[in-house]
């Protein structure tokens, strides 16, 4: 017999609470969970291993223990102004949004609402794209996405990125397509590094100070971001 202990109130991990509903409908995740439950797997939610049940207890009760606890420690951005109101980790934003949606179709108000806000998403990857898509659904006033890496080429560069390497090319995902439809342009800005965040008198974010960068190699051959100094 297999028993799954889960800290959250629903099973599915990031498939349930990380990836937004518009990208992965939660009925599909739940359907799979229900199939597993029908096959005899026991799911125990709201139970944190190490707090609600000890590892010693698990070792006594079971023949084998498998740890699949994901990675819930976010990567921070230690810049001046990081402590201001209105700065959130992506997962806090996305998780609360999905939980409130599933619990009450957002009626409980227990989510970080981007309605009417000018949203800056720092990070040009998939998680950032999900934050753009979610902010647009909240009807934010505007959304931009800052990316520290260069804009990829439209097509794979055969000379430097040949098959069978993963093709590096510009992809326009749903969040960017929606932003283009609503705002008229791709929300991504490339080769941009955040230097500091400025607040108003109430401690709310007022401005994000950025600098253009290029990627240079140091004497050990490692790449580093070099600020572009304008004349
Ligand atoms: C915003 C976002 C979008 C993504 N989009 C995609 C996508 O489009 N396509 C794709 O393929 N991948 C996507 N991914 C990646 C994918 O979701 C993850 O790689 C995958 O879900 C990781 O699975 P996992 O089981 O390792 O960890 P998780 O899904 O993180 O599951 C770990 C579970 O362990 C629980 N847990 C942690 N500690 C304890 C404890 N002490 N006791 C009990 N339970 C505990 C957590 O609550 C969690 O439910 C996305 C990720 C994010 C964050």
């Amino acid at each position: 017999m297999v028993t799954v202990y889960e800290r959250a109130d629903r099973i599915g991990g990031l498939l349930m609470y990380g990836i937004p509903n518009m990208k992965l409908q939660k009925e599909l995740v739940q359907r799979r969970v229900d199939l597993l439950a029908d096959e005899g797997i026991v799911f125990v939610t709201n139970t944190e291993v190490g707090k609600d049940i000890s590892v010693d207890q698990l070792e006594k009760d079971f023949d084998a223990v498998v740890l699949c606890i994901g990675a819930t420690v976010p990567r921070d951005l230690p810049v001046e102004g990081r402590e201001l109101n209105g700065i959130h980790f992506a997962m806090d934003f996305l998780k609360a949004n999905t939980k409130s949606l599933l619990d009450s179709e957002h009626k409980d108000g227990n989510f970080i609402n981007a309605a009417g806000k000018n949203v800056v998403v720092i990070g040009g990857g998939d998680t950032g794209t999900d934050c753009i898509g979610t902010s647009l659904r909240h009807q934010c006033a505007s959304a931009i996405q800052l990316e520290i890496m260069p804009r990829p080429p439209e097509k794979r560069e055969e000379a430097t990125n040949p098959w069978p390497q993963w093709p590096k090319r510009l992809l326009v995902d749903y969040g960017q397509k929606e932003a283009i439809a609503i705002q008229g342009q791709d929300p991504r800005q490339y080769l941009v590094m955040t230097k500091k965040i400025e607040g108003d008198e109430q401690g709310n974010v007022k401005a994000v100070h950025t600098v253009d960068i290029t990627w240079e190699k140091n004497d050990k051959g490692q790449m580093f971001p070099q600020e572009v100094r304008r004349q």
Side-chain angles (χ1 to χ4, degrees):
M1 192 172 108
V2 175
T3 302
V4 176
Y5 288 99
E6 167 56 53
R7 183 176 55 184
D9 61 341
R10 288 183 173 89
I11 296 291
L14 288 171
L15 300 187
M16 179 60 76
Y17 279 139
I19 304 176
N21 201 47
M22 61 273 193
K23 203 160 98 176
L24 176 59
Q25 287 184 339
K26 304 311 159 192
E27 294 88 336
L28 302 180
V29 180
Q30 193 57 49
R31 186 178 68 183
R32 176 63 54 180
V33 173
D34 291 344
L35 281 170
L36 294 169
D38 287 348
E39 286 169 7
I41 294 175
V42 176
F43 291 102
V44 184
T45 52
N46 294 309
T47 306
E48 183 171 347
V49 172
K51 198 172 132 199
D52 302 311
I53 183 163
S54 69
V55 174
D56 285 348
Q57 189 62 46
L58 291 180
E59 285 185 328
K60 274 191 205 122
D61 293 349
F62 298 95
D63 297 320
V65 177
V66 184
L67 291 180
C68 315
I69 54 175
T72 33
V73 179
R75 182 163 168 212
D76 210 344
L77 184 67
V79 294
E80 189 185 327
R82 167 64 184 86
E83 73 292 345
L84 290 164
N85 303 325
I87 304 174
H88 308 282
F89 285 121
M91 289 312 303
D92 294 341
F93 178 55
L94 296 174
K95 180 178 176 185
N97 181 69
T98 301
K99 180 160 166 48
S100 174
L101 183 70
L102 296 178
D103 286 351
S104 68
E105 297 196 339
H106 280 164
K107 287 191 192 75
D108 62 15
N110 290 334
F111 64 103
I112 300 161
N113 196 343
K117 309 271 187 203
N118 293 305
V119 176
V120 178
V121 173
I122 301 177
D126 288 351
T127 299
T129 301
D130 290 338
C131 292
I132 292 281
T134 302
S135 300
L136 293 173
R137 275 162 183 74
H138 289 181
Q139 300 196 326
C140 63
S142 69
I144 60 170
Q145 192 174 7
L146 305 181
E147 170 57 56
I148 200 166
M149 299 306 288
R151 185 179 192 270
E154 304 275 337
K155 284 188 186 161
R156 172 209 285 266
E157 282 173 356
E158 295 294 342
T160 53
N161 178 215
W163 184 91
Q165 288 177 8
W166 179 260
K168 290 184 201 131
R169 59 188 174 83
L170 183 73
L171 296 174
V172 184
D173 206 343
Y174 78 102
Q176 288 96 35
K177 281 186 189 152
E178 291 172 353
I180 292 166
I182 294 168
Q183 305 182 158
Q185 59 184 14
D186 195 314
R188 289 171 292 187
Q189 296 179 15
Y190 295 92
L191 292 171
V192 171
M193 191 163 77
T194 304
K195 291 289 283 182
K196 76 168 190 177
I197 304 170
E198 193 184 329
D200 64 14
E201 281 155 13
Q202 285 77 45
N204 299 317
V205 171
K206 189 169 86 174
V208 177
H209 293 245
T210 63
V211 64
D212 294 342
I213 58 132
T214 57
W215 285 94
E216 307 292 340
K217 253 187 200 162
N218 66 16
D219 46 14
K220 290 183 189 142
Q222 298 158 330
M223 302 301 287
F224 72 97
Q226 174 74 57
E227 292 182 20
V228 176
R229 306 213 179 275
R230 299 204 187 281
Q231 298 299 319

